Amino acid sequence: METNKLKKDGLKGEIIKYFHFFYLSFANHLVSKIPSYFIRKMIYKYFYGMKIGKNTNIQMGLRVYSPWNIVIGSNCSIGHDSLLDGRRGIRIGNNVDLAGYIKIMTLGHDLDDPDYKTVGAPVIIEDNASLFLGVSVLPGRRVAEGTAVALDSVITKDTEPWSIYGGNPAKKIRNRKIDHLSYNRNYKRYFH
């Protein structure tokens, strides 16, 4: 009797796992390829539970994990072929520009644990930040307001407001010569 219960519970768990991966597969392989900002945004918002602000544009090719744990503010641009790993939570402020091929990770593994357990923490990208093409942000990091991060950099530590970072690992290059922005980053390229 105990064996039958285990088999039944194991099968139930496998079916749930199957549908969970199918659900995400649909977002990552089909929804992300729809050539309409409006349709993609509506599906991410209402079918997957992402919280997305006004005038925010998500370009084609986005890959998401746990989209229901992702909050994106207003007037943002999420670049093509980016990865948002929401498993531990991602909060993106207003007027944020994420170029293409961005990777925001919130979960990894403990390399010193014999069971290779998962470890992670939420990522916060504050208002007016700009992450250029190919930037990676590691779990638990905070990208401060107005931070600009150079091409292909890896954010391994929290940044300072209104500063420019670059490299792997990213290091502060200098402070920006401004402390506010007067434009919105909600540009669109049609069929992207």
Side-chain angles (χ1 to χ4, degrees):
M1 184 164 166
E2 188 69 30
T3 306
N4 288 340
K5 182 176 178 357
L6 287 175
K7 284 182 184 177
K8 184 179 174 187
D9 289 346
L11 179 61
K12 183 178 173 184
E14 285 302 309
I15 291 170
I16 290 170
K17 213 184 292 182
Y18 173 81
F19 282 108
H20 175 76
F21 287 117
F22 176 77
Y23 179 69
L24 282 178
S25 226
F26 183 74
N28 291 327
H29 298 290
L30 295 175
V31 174
S32 72
K33 306 278 189 290
I34 296 171
S36 166
Y37 286 103
F38 177 78
I39 293 170
R40 280 194 308 272
K41 184 175 176 179
M42 291 302 108
I43 292 172
Y44 286 133
K45 256 179 115 164
Y46 297 110
F47 191 68
Y48 288 95
M50 284 174 70
K51 290 142 197 86
I52 305 171
K54 293 179 183 176
N55 298 319
T56 287
N57 300 309
I58 298 172
Q59 294 182 11
M60 290 174 64
L62 177 68
R63 187 171 193 88
V64 292
Y65 303 145
S66 301
W68 46 88
N69 290 331
I70 299 172
V71 178
I72 304 171
S74 297
N75 299 312
C76 295
S77 179
I78 310 300
H80 63 88
D81 299 305
S82 292
L83 168 66
L84 300 180
D85 171 14
R87 291 177 289 179
R88 291 294 186 262
I90 295 174
R91 195 175 84 228
I92 298 171
N94 298 313
N95 212 29
V96 171
D97 184 13
L98 302 182
Y101 303 106
I102 299 294
K103 292 181 228 54
I104 299 177
M105 301 303 299
T106 65
L107 193 64
H109 292 277
D110 182 349
L111 301 178
D112 295 320
D113 183 88
D115 293 324
Y116 203 48
K117 74 177 178 186
T118 57
V119 292
V123 168
I124 298 170
I125 313 281
E126 295 182 356
D127 296 350
N128 301 306
S130 294
L131 280 63
F132 290 89
L133 201 69
V135 168
S136 297
V137 181
L138 297 186
R141 302 290 50 107
R142 177 184 293 267
V143 177
E145 181 178 5
T147 297
V149 184
L151 184 77
D152 285 330
S153 298
V154 179
I155 299 294
T156 61
K157 296 183 178 175
D158 294 354
T159 67
E160 295 175 19
W162 298 101
S163 298
I164 300 171
Y165 284 77
N168 181 6
K171 295 188 182 344
K172 183 176 176 181
I173 296 170
R174 66 174 174 85
N175 290 328
R176 292 180 75 176
K177 295 177 182 174
I178 58 172
D179 63 1
H180 72 283
L181 295 172
S182 57
Y183 71 96
N184 292 326
R185 298 176 183 182
N186 63 348
Y187 57 88
K188 289 184 186 177
R189 292 186 295 174
Y190 292 103
F191 306 108
H192 281 82

